[in-house]
Amino acid sequence: MNKSRSNYRWMLLTLLGFAVSLQSCGLFGKKNKDSLESRINGSRGEIYSFSDVRKNYSQYIPSGMVVVPSGTFHMGQADEDPASSQINYNKQITISAFFMDQTEVTNNQYRFFVDLAIAYSGGDPESDDAAESIPSDYEEEVMNKIFENQATGSLDVPSFDDVKKKIHPDVDLWVKEYAHHMGDPLMEYYYMHPAFDDYPVVGVDWYAANLFCQWRTLHLSYYKQVQKGEPYAAPRFRLPTEAEWEYAARGGRDMAKYPWGGPYVRNTLGCMLANFKPGRGNYYDDGFAYTGPVAQYFPNDYGLYDMAGNVAEWCQDAYYESSVPVVWDINPVFNPPTSEEAGDLRNRRVVRGGSWKDIAYYCETGTKTWQHWDSASTSIGFRCAMTYLGRSSGDEF
């Protein structure tokens, strides 16, 4: 009896050992099917056929974004040049497909980033409330990577004052930017009150807009790669180039003066088609005295809202009078590094689209202006773009 049990155990151990050896050799299971050794031995001396691809990949469509398809258009002024600047002559440009936010980034969307930055800094030292904590893995995978010094590899954790100065919208601009203007209610409520959650965030400079894009990239990658274990990260979020912005604003209508295509700012019923400054100060003629909630007017043919009016928008490019003949004619961008030196022309960054306080000329698709990268305004916001990779899956339409 004992002898038969011993033989049974020996046979069982032998079979288990054989199964383990098969698995380690890649003959049992799929553990090592993608190893270099398996790929070499399984190739039969050939390379992959052109039809062999890695399966089940399609580019993720971020929430609130629409695809802007590839195409060619004439970039530059779409009407007269009343300023006689002679810096924006037409040039035929080809643009690759990309994703773009349907609306400008709102207060509620931006506040998520600011709240995380405040918690990461340790919170307000003058407040009695304890700072909220960030999950350790999120802090490691997202926040630490944002504030890592690329030159030294050390962490430059911002202080609360740094966050208030460089990331938090400058709400005081509602009072400072306009002489003899009762901006106190907007200064107090515009960014934080729920009534303005779906209004575009303003008072954010070019640096903070780029930092938001960097955070949004890592935030999405954290969910897809860390939480869901997906192998491919989405392309990074970024500010649109000036050429991308203008191409998207025209909505497929080459040489269109305004995003809606026509040369007029009212429709056939006499209703305003954007939030800007009609006449000589009749701000409310379009329905809003200041900014309005996003997506209140008809979108253009690409499904993008407020590409004219409401708030002007930051672009990647530096403003340079001679950039048109300098840049290439496919996916152009003029983006030299910014400088801490006062008066450096590279610090002028392109602003497009016009705002609630601008006349109709600045709402034209071909009009360009600028603001210093470290200056904010109550009339400037932004929206994000993302490069589209490969061929369309069709799911994004």
Side-chain angles (χ1 to χ4, degrees):
M1 190 74 175
N2 292 336
K3 185 176 181 180
S4 62
R5 284 185 178 178
S6 177
N7 289 337
Y8 176 77
R9 289 175 180 172
W10 180 84
M11 290 175 63
L12 182 61
L13 290 173
T14 301
L15 287 172
L16 287 173
F18 182 67
V20 171
S21 66
L22 286 176
Q23 186 173 3
S24 66
C25 293
L27 301 174
F28 183 80
K30 300 181 179 180
K31 182 178 181 181
N32 297 318
K33 69 182 181 66
D34 291 327
S35 69
L36 283 175
E37 182 179 354
S38 297
R39 290 162 65 189
I40 292 170
N41 294 334
S43 69
R44 299 182 180 180
E46 297 288 348
I47 61 173
Y48 297 116
S49 166
F50 69 89
S51 61
D52 289 336
V53 296
R54 287 174 287 181
K55 305 297 182 182
N56 303 320
Y57 174 79
S58 61
Q59 184 162 340
Y60 177 76
I61 306 170
S63 175
M65 280 191 154
V66 296
V67 67
V68 179
S70 302
T72 299
F73 78 114
H74 289 84
M75 184 176 177
Q77 63 191 61
D79 204 347
E80 297 177 349
D81 182 17
S84 298
S85 62
Q86 301 184 20
I87 65 171
N88 202 21
Y89 292 124
N90 294 115
K91 181 176 181 178
Q92 192 171 36
I93 297 293
T94 295
I95 298 294
S96 299
F98 62 99
F99 290 111
M100 197 171 195
D101 281 334
Q102 279 189 286
T103 71
E104 296 129 346
V105 173
T106 65
N107 284 319
N108 200 40
Q109 292 170 331
Y110 190 80
R111 196 182 306 114
F112 186 14
F113 169 51
V114 173
D115 290 346
L116 284 168
I118 290 175
Y120 184 68
S121 72
D124 186 353
E126 297 182 1
S127 174
D128 294 332
D129 297 330
E132 291 189 75
S133 60
I134 301 175
S136 57
D137 55 343
Y138 187 89
E139 183 172 323
E140 180 179 349
E141 295 292 335
V142 180
M143 304 306 293
N144 287 350
K145 290 182 179 179
I146 295 175
F147 296 102
E148 181 181 0
N149 188 311
Q150 299 299 318
T152 63
S154 60
L155 283 179
D156 294 335
V157 179
S159 65
F160 177 79
D161 289 339
D162 289 335
V163 173
K164 293 290 288 185
K165 181 179 179 181
K166 297 180 179 180
I167 300 176
H168 194 286
D170 187 353
V171 297
D172 294 341
L173 289 174
W174 286 109
V175 173
K176 295 178 180 177
E177 204 168 0
Y178 311 105
H180 308 294
H181 164 250
M182 195 182 72
D184 295 69
L186 290 168
M187 178 183 68
E188 185 175 357
Y189 298 114
Y190 183 83
Y191 173 63
M192 291 299 297
H193 198 278
F196 295 99
D197 274 354
D198 58 346
Y199 282 60
V201 67
V202 296
V204 174
D205 64 21
W206 185 83
Y207 164 83
N210 276 283
L211 204 63
F212 176 88
C213 293
Q214 185 181 355
W215 165 77
R216 189 175 176 184
T217 300
L218 294 168
H219 180 69
L220 177 58
S221 295
Y222 170 80
Y223 170 73
K224 294 186 70 64
Q225 293 189 288
V226 177
Q227 289 194 332
K228 295 191 69 177
E230 296 184 6
Y232 310 113
R236 64 185 178 86
F237 293 95
R238 53 179 174 77
L239 292 179
T241 67
E242 181 185 11
E244 286 177 332
W245 191 97
E246 184 172 329
Y247 175 70
R250 294 178 190 263
R253 300 171 181 258
D254 197 15
M255 302 299 295
K257 182 176 180 179
Y258 294 109
W260 46 88
Y264 307 110
V265 295
R266 297 179 185 266
N267 63 15
T268 55
L269 300 176
C271 300
M272 287 292 181
L273 295 169
N275 178 14
F276 65 106
K277 179 184 176 182
R280 297 189 176 183
N282 187 7
Y283 291 93
Y284 195 68
D285 199 19
D286 51 46
F288 302 98
Y290 295 94
T291 61
V294 297
Q296 296 301 297
Y297 301 89
F298 292 113
N300 71 2
D301 288 350
Y302 287 155
L304 299 167
Y305 294 90
D306 301 318
M307 295 302 285
N310 213 17
V311 294
E313 299 173 16
W314 289 111
C315 295
Q316 278 192 44
D317 301 59
Y319 181 92
Y320 183 54
E321 287 81 355
S322 302
S323 63
V324 174
V326 169
V327 297
W328 208 23
D329 53 5
I330 179 170
N331 295 323
V333 61
F334 184 74
N335 188 19
T338 57
S339 169
E340 297 295 336
E341 183 179 346
D344 193 325
L345 296 182
R346 296 175 299 176
N347 293 339
R348 300 183 303 173
R349 294 289 150 167
V350 171
V351 174
R352 286 299 203 112
S355 75
W356 60 270
K357 70 178 186 65
D358 292 321
I359 59 174
Y361 167 71
Y362 291 100
C363 295
E364 294 180 14
T365 57
T367 301
K368 57 191 298 179
T369 184
W370 58 273
Q371 183 91 338
H372 281 281
W373 71 273
D374 58 353
S375 297
S377 171
T378 57
S379 62
I380 299 177
F382 69 99
R383 72 179 78 207
C384 302
M386 173 190 278
T387 302
Y388 188 90
L389 302 180
R391 183 178 176 180
S392 167
S393 66
D395 295 333
E396 70 276 8
F397 291 103

